[in-house]
Amino acid sequence: MPVQVRATVLTARRVDAYHALTLVAPAIATRFRPGQFITVAVGGPETSMLGRRAFAVYDVRPDHGGTVEFVFEALGPGTRWLAALRARDGVDAVGPLGRPFPVPKDPSRCLLLGVGYGSAASHLVPGPRASNTNSTVPP
């Protein structure tokens, strides 16, 4: 069941061409499952930007204060506003949203695909990460 919270920014950092925000949001973190996402209101309380922005979650730490981290690219006014946030700023967040994907109980082969910051969610898939050295991906 999703919840709406006033989350506090714990960390705001650059990751190459992207930005990463870690929010303190225990009510979201404890409910989160791989494959789900969050939405964040952008622009502050006096903004004309009414639509929320949806983000794939990079990391969740329910046992470390209840944090949720997401990665994004500052392309438009909403994500540029997010990129300007600093530690201790507040944001309105809703989550977890979406249908979680099932995680196999037994070891299995899988292929995880992602482009840009959208590949952040594959970080939450449990188990060892191995690559097949016989396959190549063009740049």
Side-chain angles (χ1 to χ4, degrees):
M1 180 80 153
V3 293
Q4 181 174 3
V5 300
R6 182 73 178 161
T8 302
V9 176
L10 179 64
T11 63
R13 61 191 174 91
R14 287 294 301 257
V15 182
D16 294 325
Y18 305 110
H19 298 267
L21 283 181
T22 303
L23 306 178
V24 178
I28 294 175
T30 56
R31 292 169 170 83
F32 191 86
R33 300 294 173 262
Q36 293 183 305
F37 64 96
I38 63 169
T39 62
V40 178
V42 296
E46 306 298 321
T47 186
S48 62
M49 291 184 276
L50 299 177
R52 292 177 168 275
R53 304 304 188 268
F55 297 100
V57 172
Y58 173 72
D59 199 15
V60 175
R61 304 280 176 144
D63 55 343
H64 289 95
T67 60
V68 177
E69 183 176 20
F70 63 97
V71 178
F72 63 95
E73 188 172 7
L75 292 174
T79 50
R80 284 195 299 268
W81 180 85
L82 282 174
L85 293 176
R86 297 294 166 248
R88 294 185 293 244
D89 287 343
V91 295
D92 184 287
V94 173
L97 297 165
R99 181 177 293 175
F101 53 75
V103 177
K105 290 184 169 88
D106 298 321
S108 61
R109 291 177 159 258
C110 67
L111 174 65
L112 303 175
L113 298 175
V115 176
Y117 62 86
S119 61
S122 65
H123 174 75
L124 291 171
V125 177
R129 310 292 192 284
S131 63
N132 182 346
T133 57
N134 294 325
S135 64
T136 60
V137 178

